[in-house]
Amino acid sequence: MADATGLVSLDEGSYYQDPAGFFARLRESRPVAPVRMPGYGRAWVVTRYADVRAALTDPRLAMAGHRWPGGAPPRPREADNLHAHMLHKDGPDHARLRRLVQKAFTPRRAARLRPRAEEIAAVLLDEMAAASGGVIDLLGAYARPVPITVICELLGVPVADREWIAVTVAAYDKPAESRRVTRELAAYFTGLIAAKRAEPGDDLVSALVLAHDKGEEDGAEDQLTGTELLSSVFQLVMAGFDTTVNLIASGTLALLTHPREMTRLREDPSLLPAAVEELLRFTSPVNHATDRFTTEDVPIGGVVVPAGEWVILAITSADRDPAQFPGPDRLDVGRDAGGHVAFGYGIHYCLGAPLARVEAEAALGGLLARFPAMSLAVDPRELRWRPVSLMNGLESLPVRLA
Ligand code: HEM
């Protein structure tokens, strides 16, 4: 596992194809371990549940104003205008941004999306039933379109642009494409903000534009700069899309490979909310939290991580820690998976968690009810996972619907 410098390296194939296994080996051998992150230098990876949860609330682990030891990857100037959002801020700046976005992302707005998510899922299920001659890629046909449609409706992205957004966002984590994609997304969201300013709608981008313009007019302390506005819109799309795609696709895979649990859930749909929590724990749509950096020497799990170091909190591992979840590698849709950290913990706890739950319940509930004989069309060992450190997502999911 270790390279010539003695450091474990993340780019060995087993991480991308089996992050839970990779992290479990670290958790058992060295739960706070320096690891080589290819292209970025050294990071300290934290793998025990108790340590991850404590670190997620530790203000000495900061998000803003730090640099990766290997230097930042080259990115276009426009990227700076997209990263001034709450997940890259600490303390009062974070609180201000979160408050402003939370105010626009009202519970009414999120609740309204439940029937819409169910309708969107039903239309796609009809299309799949009509088109299918047998095997389909569930990722492309269902797991992707549900969240992109919901998030675009929430933000007020015109219907004609949604397919472009889905394709462009999906290319964001491909190094060869990330410069082009960043530039295009920055230009697109700048245009969307201008359009909403000219003609506001009942959507989240219009509400954020209003918060920005009103804050400027009133000279309010609690205001959003133009860059923060653009970044927040960008972040809502990035944070709300891929994550939920992964939950729907990996959740479906987990059920297909645990047929007794799938039958149990189909026969008792009241288990659905608990099952979604268990699938969040078990599949971990996000492998680790966003990069954090020590502002001083910080003891974590008995190891002192020096000041100025990069720390990676392994969510996938925390949620499979046997010290917290008995039999953690067993999927049990009736288990109380409460306390999982799939949505993070502390001040950066996922702002979109209620919406993600609504979407997953609509998508998985609809799918199980519509295709009771659905099965995996390939050997699970043939499935490939995207070679990305942060996100834990399948490349495709071939299923037989009947
Ligand atoms: C299954 C789906 C999702 C998962 C697993 C997920 C996971 C996470 C995690 C782990 C964090 C914390 C990161 C950290 O502390 O480093 C986070 C933050 C965040 N998420 Fe989600 N997320 C999901 C869906 C969504 C959706 C649908 C939205 C919005 C529409 C959203 C918006 C956000 C925002 C704005 C933050 C930053 C909160 C802050 O910094 O205060 N997420 N999410």
Side-chain angles (χ1 to χ4, degrees), residues 56 63 86-87 94 98 105 151 154 235-236 239-241 243-244 247 280 285-286 289-292 315 341-345 347-353 355-356 359:
L56 281 168
M63 321 282 244
M86 69 183 95
L87 208 39
H94 167 264
R98 184 162 172 126
F105 197 175
I151 197 91
L154 173 73
Q235 188 218 358
L236 286 167
F241 175 42
T243 47
T244 316
L247 175 57
L280 279 157
V286 178
T290 315
D291 304 332
R292 283 159 167 81
I315 289 173
V341 287
F343 287 127
Y345 185 63
I347 63 163
H348 291 282
Y349 180 80
C350 179
L351 194 83
L355 178 59
E359 291 183 59

Side-chain angles (χ1 to χ4, degrees), residues 271-304:
L271 285 175
L272 200 51
V276 167
E277 297 312 305
E278 171 67 344
L279 291 169
L280 279 157
R281 180 195 74 79
F282 187 81
T283 67
S284 203
V286 178
N287 273 323
H288 55 77
T290 315
D291 304 332
R292 283 159 167 81
F293 299 84
T294 48
T295 54
E296 56 187 87
D297 291 1
V298 181
I300 304 179
V303 174
V304 176

Side-chain angles (χ1 to χ4, degrees), residues 3 5 7-11 34-39 41-43:
D3 71 359
T5 63
L7 286 187
V8 172
S9 180
L10 196 89
D11 63 348
V35 166
R36 193 170 63 78
M37 304 293 286
R42 183 181 70 183

